[in-house]
Amino acid sequence: MTERKDIRNVAIIAHVDHGKTTLVDAMLWQSGLFRENQSVRERVMDNLDLEREKGITIMAKNTSVTFGPVKINIVDTPGHADFGGEVERTLTMVDGALLLVDASEGPLPQTRFVLQKALEKRLPIIGVINKIDRSDRRPKEVLDEIYSLLIDLDANDSQLDFPVFYTNAKLGAAWTCLNEALAPDPEQLPSLEPLFQSIVDSIPSPCGNPDEPAQFLVTNLEWSDYLGRLCIGPLRRGTFRGGQEAALLKDGRLTMKGPLKAVFTYEGLNRVETQEVRAGDIVAIAGLPEAFIGDTVADSLNPEPLPPVVVDEPTLTMEFSVNSSPLAGREGSILTSRQIKARLEKEALYNVSIRVSADPAGSGDSFQVGARGELQLAVLVETMRREGFELTLGPPKIIVKTVDGQVKEPLELAVIDVPEEYVGVVTEKLSARKGRVVRLANHGSGRVRLEIEVPTRGLIGYRGQFMTDTRGAGLLNTLAVGYTNWQGDIKGRANGSLVADRSGQAVTYALFHLQPRGCIFASPGDPVYSGLIVGENSRAEDIWVNPCKEKKLTNIRASGSDEALRLTPPRRLSLEEAIEYLREDEVLEVTPKSVRLRKKFLAK
């Protein structure tokens, strides 16, 4: 095998909000990619609107920097386990990983998830303890936790012997010595050079003989208005040139041959067309419109397949169907089941962790969509509504398995960080949802770290309750850890709904007199129809109410009778909160402008 000494391929893996994308920003700046006075937005790799709004990475993206004579291809991966499919296919592109951990929070569930995937592929690790400037930092304890996690995940001796850096990604500074990181020299300019040097020294060079028949694994897809579909991934061996004939293999079988329109390499944030790409690099090729993630593009004379991308199976499913409410078609432009089906099938081709199937009941207007978690489903729905779709969504349901005649359900590890005074209420609520405390740690800072194993069913609808119980001061992160025996009935939402009994417009007078019954979701002037949920009842049962009732006119005047009515601001559920809120007999109407809860079956 021939080594490419001039290339390193590395992924940055971490938990959500530990600073991956900020570190990539600093690496791009210090590589000389941008001019000194150039205006560049923060988190430049998060180029999707949803990523910038939510502050998380959803899609894996790659870039490159130059350090001396070496080109370093960097892949920024999502930190949330719901987007684990992105992580799994991304790790097939690289030869090593930077494990980024917050200096205060330490390894969290998604840290464990992404690290486990890296260790399974025998990738060498560079440890990076970020946010070393935090006032509540505890770098020594965090480093011990990283070693404990590696041992727990059966890392081998070479993986345990990894270099460690302490970084401040915002400043673009990295140190190998903890004392220097805690008290940096003010006269020394911040630099990531030690980290760059460690990547060159510790991450192995990619191997691949450029003289053998070409093999290329499709791990990502993009679109060009001029060239059509672009396939992105590692070139394992051989060479590709523009105009060269290549073969496309799906599931190991040859499906088509055709010329490559163009080949590209990456320089910084830009995709640059070149005459030739050689084994070892992460490249893009154009000219194969039928290629999808997991396919192999090979030499046309000697086509040999590569192992396909393998990802974990979905744990949740949700029903997507045509919007059947009386308000259908008023706000969206894409309405039909044919259009919804085409969009979902397209998503399944680009997103390897999504599964789409027809409704088991045989209805042609609805589809079952499987995913890793509620956040992944919510991101898909939000993307579709911004494209102009109108949908009806059913409540999320878990995917069960039957093993040796016994029903198994998904199990998750909930890692909870809360102030000490809320430990009791959190453990009480999760115990009722079949949760079991497996670890409790108090670092003496006034906050407690809880690890609780709980069925996925028990977490559906709990996050909103958790934020209420902890007054917004708690942190909840979850990770799928396998399957467990069916845990029996789990109580869902305790409160019933206030359901509109007629069509019309909500008015102030009616909503004012509904406020004592519970929490209101509607505002004056909102359109309502029979079956629409306009609020949450303070009791367990549903109540049918009239939100359109107006004050009757009389010829009697009395002091104070016509004073202005003051409404409590309505509770506006986000898309994620609305999905969690659903009961079995309720659905969610989603349009480009609105998110409405309603009963599944409406009165004719």
Side-chain angles (χ1 to χ4, degrees):
M1 299 291 285
T2 304
E3 289 190 19
R4 289 289 303 271
K5 298 287 188 181
D6 59 332
I7 290 180
R8 299 293 187 276
N9 299 321
V10 62
I12 300 183
I13 57 177
H15 182 84
V16 174
D17 200 32
H18 279 195
K20 297 184 305 300
T21 308
T22 304
L23 181 62
V24 174
D25 278 3
M27 297 173 81
L28 291 171
W29 272 105
Q30 294 193 20
S31 69
L33 180 65
F34 307 123
R35 298 190 313 272
E36 193 169 323
N37 62 345
Q38 186 172 344
S39 175
V40 181
R41 66 185 182 184
E42 291 185 353
R43 296 185 292 116
V44 66
M45 293 290 283
D46 285 347
N47 51 17
L48 301 178
D49 290 341
L50 273 178
E51 290 179 321
R52 304 194 67 79
E53 290 170 18
K54 293 179 177 293
I56 62 174
T57 301
I58 295 172
M59 299 292 292
K61 292 169 283 291
N62 57 293
T63 183
S64 73
V65 299
T66 301
F67 181 71
V70 179
K71 173 185 176 184
I72 303 175
N73 288 313
I74 302 171
V75 184
D76 184 17
T77 64
H80 201 288
D82 280 16
F83 308 106
E86 294 287 309
V87 177
E88 288 160 333
R89 65 182 175 81
T90 295
L91 292 180
T92 64
M93 303 168 64
V94 298
D95 305 294
L98 267 64
L99 175 66
L100 200 71
V101 179
D102 189 290
S104 172
E105 296 180 0
L108 288 176
Q110 276 74 37
T111 313
R112 182 186 184 94
F113 171 79
V114 293
L115 179 59
Q116 181 179 8
K117 297 301 178 184
L119 295 179
E120 287 174 357
K121 296 184 179 299
R122 299 299 178 187
L123 298 178
I125 301 297
I126 296 176
V128 179
I129 298 178
N130 192 31
K131 302 187 181 181
I132 198 65
D133 58 324
R134 286 185 62 159
S135 59
D136 56 348
R137 63 199 172 202
R138 48 186 192 91
K140 292 182 180 179
E141 293 87 345
V142 167
L143 182 57
D144 290 340
E145 290 172 9
I146 293 174
Y147 279 117
S148 298
L149 180 57
L150 283 162
I151 293 169
D152 190 38
L153 294 175
D154 296 327
N156 57 37
D157 292 342
S158 62
Q159 289 171 324
L160 286 170
D161 185 20
F162 60 89
V164 178
F165 291 88
Y166 305 93
T167 63
N168 181 338
K170 283 188 175 181
L171 287 180
W175 299 271
T176 55
C177 175
L178 177 57
N179 292 333
E180 292 179 5
L182 297 178
D185 184 353
E187 297 183 0
Q188 187 175 358
L189 291 175
S191 173
L192 293 173
E193 185 173 337
L195 183 59
F196 282 127
Q197 190 62 56
S198 181
I199 292 173
V200 173
D201 296 339
S202 306
I203 303 299
S205 306
C207 296
N209 191 337
D211 299 323
E212 292 184 353
Q215 278 186 315
F216 169 88
L217 181 65
V218 182
T219 55
N220 203 356
L221 297 172
E222 290 186 8
W223 179 264
S224 166
D225 291 336
Y226 302 101
L227 298 170
R229 178 167 297 168
L230 298 175
C231 304
I232 301 167
L235 184 55
R236 297 295 189 200
R237 72 182 193 196
T239 303
F240 277 141
R241 301 177 182 84
Q244 175 182 340
E245 186 172 86
L248 178 65
L249 296 95
K250 293 178 179 289
D251 298 324
R253 298 189 300 273
L254 178 65
T255 58
M256 68 165 289
K257 292 183 179 182
L260 300 180
K261 294 180 181 178
V263 294
F264 301 86
T265 187
Y266 284 87
E267 294 180 7
L269 297 173
N270 299 319
R271 191 172 52 239
V272 180
E273 186 172 357
T274 184
Q275 295 286 333
E276 176 183 274
V277 289
R278 298 171 60 234
D281 203 356
I282 294 176
V283 303
I285 60 176
L288 298 171
E290 297 180 12
F292 289 106
I293 292 171
D295 295 347
T296 299
V297 181
D299 184 86
S300 61
L301 299 178
N302 190 10
E304 296 180 26
L306 286 166
V309 178
V310 178
V311 300
D312 291 342
E313 292 296 316
T315 57
L316 283 176
T317 183
M318 185 182 289
E319 183 180 321
F320 285 52
S321 58
V322 172
N323 184 10
S324 56
S325 88
L327 302 179
R330 295 190 183 184
E331 298 175 354
S333 57
I334 308 177
L335 314 170
T336 67
S337 61
R338 178 183 58 81
Q339 292 169 313
I340 294 172
K341 179 183 179 183
R343 178 63 179 83
L344 292 175
E345 289 177 343
K346 177 183 177 183
E347 183 70 23
L349 293 171
Y350 282 77
N351 190 336
V352 291
S353 59
I354 289 282
R355 301 286 187 274
V356 179
S357 59
D359 181 18
S363 169
D365 291 340
S366 61
F367 311 93
Q368 296 293 327
V369 179
R372 294 281 185 87
E374 294 164 77
L375 179 60
Q376 187 181 20
L377 288 166
V379 167
L380 171 58
V381 175
E382 181 65 32
T383 303
M384 292 178 67
R385 70 185 291 220
R386 293 185 183 198
E387 294 170 359
F389 281 86
E390 287 195 9
L391 302 165
T392 298
L393 304 176
K397 299 178 181 179
I398 62 166
I399 300 174
V400 299
K401 292 182 176 180
T402 303
V403 180
D404 298 328
Q406 197 164 22
V407 178
K408 304 276 187 178
E409 65 174 318
L411 181 70
E412 298 198 28
L413 178 69
V415 178
I416 298 169
D417 191 298
V418 292
E420 292 176 347
E421 60 265 30
Y422 300 127
V423 171
V425 66
V426 169
T427 53
E428 178 187 354
K429 292 290 177 64
L430 282 179
S431 295
R433 293 168 175 262
K434 309 297 183 182
R436 182 175 64 90
V437 178
V438 295
R439 185 170 177 268
L440 186 151
N442 191 335
H443 299 298
S445 61
R447 297 181 70 89
V448 176
R449 174 79 60 85
L450 290 164
E451 294 187 8
I452 302 177
E453 287 186 348
V454 58
T456 301
R457 278 187 305 140
L459 289 172
I460 295 175
Y462 174 68
R463 285 175 173 80
Q465 183 66 52
F466 172 78
M467 296 307 292
T468 301
D469 291 341
T470 61
R471 305 297 189 270
L475 299 173
L476 170 63
N477 295 284
T478 60
L479 172 67
V481 292
Y483 283 77
T484 185
N485 292 334
W486 182 261
Q487 297 295 301
D489 292 336
I490 296 177
K491 291 184 179 179
R493 192 178 86 223
N495 298 81
S497 301
L498 301 177
V499 188
D501 64 357
R502 67 197 66 197
S503 299
Q505 280 191 335
V507 297
T508 303
Y509 180 78
L511 295 178
F512 179 80
H513 288 91
L514 289 178
Q515 283 182 162
R517 292 191 176 274
C519 177
I520 304 300
F521 299 155
S523 297
D526 286 353
V528 298
Y529 54 83
S530 178
L532 182 73
I533 296 172
V534 296
E536 180 181 80
N537 190 13
S538 56
R539 299 186 179 182
E541 65 273 5
D542 293 341
I543 299 179
W544 290 79
V545 298
N546 178 9
C548 309
K549 183 179 180 181
E550 297 181 347
K551 183 178 180 181
K552 301 299 183 184
L553 297 176
T554 70
N555 59 356
I556 300 175
R557 293 178 179 268
S559 176
S561 63
D562 291 325
E563 289 180 359
L565 302 179
R566 297 184 180 274
L567 291 178
T568 303
R571 179 185 175 190
R572 295 296 187 185
L573 298 177
S574 68
L575 181 61
E576 292 94 329
E577 291 170 336
I579 289 174
E580 287 188 345
Y581 189 85
L582 291 173
R583 274 182 169 177
E584 191 66 29
D585 64 337
E586 298 170 352
V587 294
L588 188 64
E589 177 189 352
V590 179
T591 73
K593 296 181 181 179
S594 307
V595 175
R596 303 184 184 97
L597 294 159
R598 69 171 178 86
K599 288 298 181 180
K600 186 173 184 179
F601 300 106
L602 302 176
K604 296 297 184 182

